[in-house]
């Protein structure tokens, strides 16, 4: 079963009425598989704007607009505007914490070791009422994520470099230049790297949405259904299509790249397990498509195979380094890719390193531990 209704002839899809298709035994065992890689919650929380999309008033200008892209909101599809709403979602998601309903979650709260403290803060009446108890829980999670300093430690080698307290190695310096160069990596066009107002450290994201044409991840159980497509802004998890044109179907929010080298999977569907491959994909996607995509029934390489055919025209083919054609010259060579990866490793916070601050930012760092989600 899928989260969409799709027309085979046109390839157009739209969210189906949501159904809980996970068997109860999976909800109790907590072994159901999701279909998106979880973005980190570090750094982006207090400064994430509410989801918005500015539209041109003139219909013709609206058709040709290229600069005003959707921006903001929490999660990969920006469907939550507040952290308490974002915190609520995994509590009831069958593939995550799998609480059946508010009554089931509230019952757990009442016997939790911190129930007395909860009642002291929110009141005994709140703990006795299912809806108020869950509201208090999500509010507490929101305040923790906003107030606890561990969500924004700014202890990476790159932060020390920006403050003049550390020097980047030659590969790291080259990687930073390539990362920011509009004609090379051009990563900084979305993953902002320049300090902000009054020297505020960059968050390595502009919160915008992009359609990269990422390959289909065949290891996901949901993708065993050929009619299933994760279209980001167009569902299945985001139900509302208000303000979202079809040309944004397949777009996902730009994550922060801080602590990216600690991750073991990359892209919204986790299709890559190596950081260098994630960088290489941007460079080679349309130059060597056979390296990244499977073949369709005709035997031809099927580019952008994780999108219905009608939405494949939405993929960004204008932004460097994804503005190349088959057989063209790549914007980056293998040495350049290694240098960019070396720079990306300088974004790892001290507490996320496996051996402590002494190894911070070294090119030998291959951490696999996840940063705080």
């Amino acid at each position: 079963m899928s989260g969409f209704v799709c027309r085979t002839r046109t390839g157009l899809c739209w969210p189906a009425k949501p159904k809980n298709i996970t068997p109860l035994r999976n909800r109790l065992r907590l072994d159901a598989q999701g279909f998106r890689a979880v973005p980190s919650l570090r750094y982006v929380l207090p400064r994430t704007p509410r989801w918005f999309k500015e539209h041109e008033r003139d219909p013709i200008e609206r058709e040709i607009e290229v600069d005003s892209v959707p921006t903001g909101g929490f999660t990969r599809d920006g469907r939550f505007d507040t952290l308490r709403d974002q915190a609520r979602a995994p509590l009831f998601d069958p593939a995550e914490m799998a609480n059946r309903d508010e009554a089931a979650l509230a019952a757990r709260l009442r016997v939790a070791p911190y129930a007395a403290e909860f009642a002291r803060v929110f009141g005994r009446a709140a703990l006795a009422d299912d809806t108020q108890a869950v509201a208090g829980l999500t509010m507490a999670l929101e305040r923790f994520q906003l107030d606890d300093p561990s969500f924004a430690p700014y202890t990476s080698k790159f932060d020390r470099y920006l403050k003049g307290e550390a020097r980047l190695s030659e590969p790291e310096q080259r990687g930073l230049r390539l990362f920011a160069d509009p004609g090379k990596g051009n990563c900084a066009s979305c993953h902002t790297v320049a300090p902000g107002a009054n020297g505020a450290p960059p968050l390595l994201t502009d919160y915008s949405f992009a359609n990269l044409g990422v390959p289909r991840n065949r290891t996901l159980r949901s993708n065993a259904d050929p009619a299933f497509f994760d279209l980001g802004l167009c569902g299945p998890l985001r139900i509302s299509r208000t303000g979202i044109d079809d040309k944004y179907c397949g777009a996902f929010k730009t994550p922060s790249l801080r602590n990216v080298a600690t991750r073991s999977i990359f892209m919204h569907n986790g299709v890559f397990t190596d950081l260098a491959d994630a960088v290489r994909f941007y460079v080679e996607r349309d130059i060597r498509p056979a390296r990244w995509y499977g073949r369709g029934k005709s035997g031809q390489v099927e580019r952008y195979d994780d999108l219905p055919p009608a939405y494949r025209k939405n993929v960004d083919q204008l932004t460097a380094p994804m503005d190349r054609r088959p057989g063209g010259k790549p914007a980056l060579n293998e040495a350049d890719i290694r240098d960019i990866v070396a720079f990306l490793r300088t974004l790892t916070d001290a507490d996320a390193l496996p051996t402590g601050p002494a190894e911070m930012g070294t090119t030998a760092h291959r951490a696999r531990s996840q940063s705080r989600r």
Side-chain angles (χ1 to χ4, degrees):
M1 298 180 70
S2 80
F4 298 97
V5 176
C6 294
R7 277 206 185 108
T8 304
R9 181 175 60 83
T10 63
L12 289 172
C13 301
W14 56 93
K17 183 178 180 181
K19 297 178 181 179
N20 186 355
I21 62 172
T22 306
L24 177 60
R25 63 178 184 276
N26 283 342
R27 296 205 302 272
L28 296 176
R29 291 201 308 260
L30 302 182
D31 63 353
Q33 185 192 66
F35 53 84
R36 287 183 188 168
V38 179
S40 173
L41 290 180
R42 276 196 168 183
Y43 294 103
V44 298
L45 303 182
R47 292 156 68 177
T48 298
R50 286 177 172 264
W51 186 88
F52 69 94
K53 170 68 181 78
E54 295 181 355
H55 285 291
E56 299 289 349
R57 292 185 178 183
D58 184 277
I60 297 178
E61 291 182 0
R62 185 170 174 174
E63 284 298 314
I64 63 175
E65 65 176 338
V66 294
D67 294 326
S68 178
V69 298
T71 303
F74 294 106
T75 71
R76 296 278 185 182
D77 53 23
R79 66 189 183 277
F80 301 119
D81 279 331
T82 68
L83 274 171
R84 67 186 65 179
D85 289 336
Q86 181 275 326
R88 179 186 172 91
L91 294 171
F92 299 99
D93 190 320
E96 296 192 61
M97 299 187 72
N99 288 285
R100 182 180 65 254
D101 51 29
E102 288 187 342
L105 179 54
R108 287 184 169 187
L109 277 174
R110 293 178 191 121
V111 296
Y114 49 81
E117 179 71 4
F118 188 97
R120 185 186 70 80
V121 173
F122 295 101
R124 293 191 177 280
L127 186 58
D129 181 87
D130 296 343
T131 299
Q132 290 185 52
V134 173
L137 170 62
T138 56
M139 180 186 295
L141 287 170
E142 178 181 52
R143 293 318 314 171
F144 167 63
Q145 293 173 133
L146 290 174
D147 297 342
D148 192 286
S150 68
F151 281 92
Y154 295 107
T155 56
S156 71
K157 182 177 182 179
F158 183 59
D159 290 304
R160 293 166 55 226
Y161 162 76
L162 291 176
K163 292 185 290 186
E165 299 174 355
R167 294 182 61 183
L168 300 183
S169 68
E170 290 187 7
E172 291 163 354
Q173 290 180 35
R174 291 195 300 267
L176 174 55
R177 288 194 296 269
L178 292 164
F179 186 94
D181 189 331
K184 290 293 187 177
N186 196 31
C187 316
S189 63
C190 294
H191 300 282
T192 50
V193 74
N198 300 318
L203 299 185
L204 280 293
T205 177
D206 64 357
Y207 307 101
S208 65
F209 285 76
N211 191 330
L212 305 178
V214 173
R216 193 168 179 85
N217 186 349
R218 307 289 173 180
T219 69
L220 294 179
R221 297 172 193 166
S222 57
N223 284 343
D225 179 357
F228 177 84
F229 292 97
D230 185 1
L231 298 181
L233 281 176
C234 295
L237 297 181
R238 185 183 183 107
I239 303 302
S240 172
R241 288 284 301 275
T242 302
I244 301 174
D245 297 329
D246 278 356
K247 64 182 177 181
Y248 296 116
C249 290
F252 290 84
K253 193 175 71 171
T254 301
S256 170
L257 291 185
R258 285 180 171 272
N259 294 298
V260 68
T262 69
R263 298 189 69 91
S264 57
I265 56 174
F266 306 91
M267 304 302 184
H268 70 270
N269 62 0
V271 67
F272 300 130
T273 57
D274 180 80
L275 182 55
D277 270 345
V279 177
R280 193 174 289 113
F281 168 74
Y282 286 89
V283 179
E284 295 186 353
R285 186 194 68 188
D286 294 322
I287 294 175
R288 303 183 182 99
R291 180 172 185 171
W292 304 102
Y293 299 105
R295 296 183 180 273
K297 294 180 180 179
S298 67
Q300 299 296 312
V301 174
E302 191 174 8
R303 292 194 302 169
Y304 320 143
D305 59 357
D306 206 25
L307 291 169
Y311 294 144
R312 293 175 186 176
K313 63 180 181 295
N314 297 348
V315 174
D316 184 355
Q317 297 180 341
L318 300 176
T319 304
M322 301 178 292
D323 57 350
R324 305 302 199 264
R325 297 294 176 264
K329 182 179 179 181
L332 303 171
N333 58 34
E334 283 298 310
D336 294 335
I337 292 172
R338 288 194 296 271
D339 288 342
I340 288 180
V341 171
F343 165 67
L344 292 175
R345 291 182 184 139
T346 71
L347 303 176
T348 303
D349 287 317
D351 65 337
L353 292 168
T355 57
E359 195 178 328
M360 181 159 51
T362 64
T363 55
H365 175 46
R366 301 289 293 176
R368 290 299 187 188
S369 60
Q370 291 284 356
S371 62
R372 187 186 297 274
R373 296 282 179 94

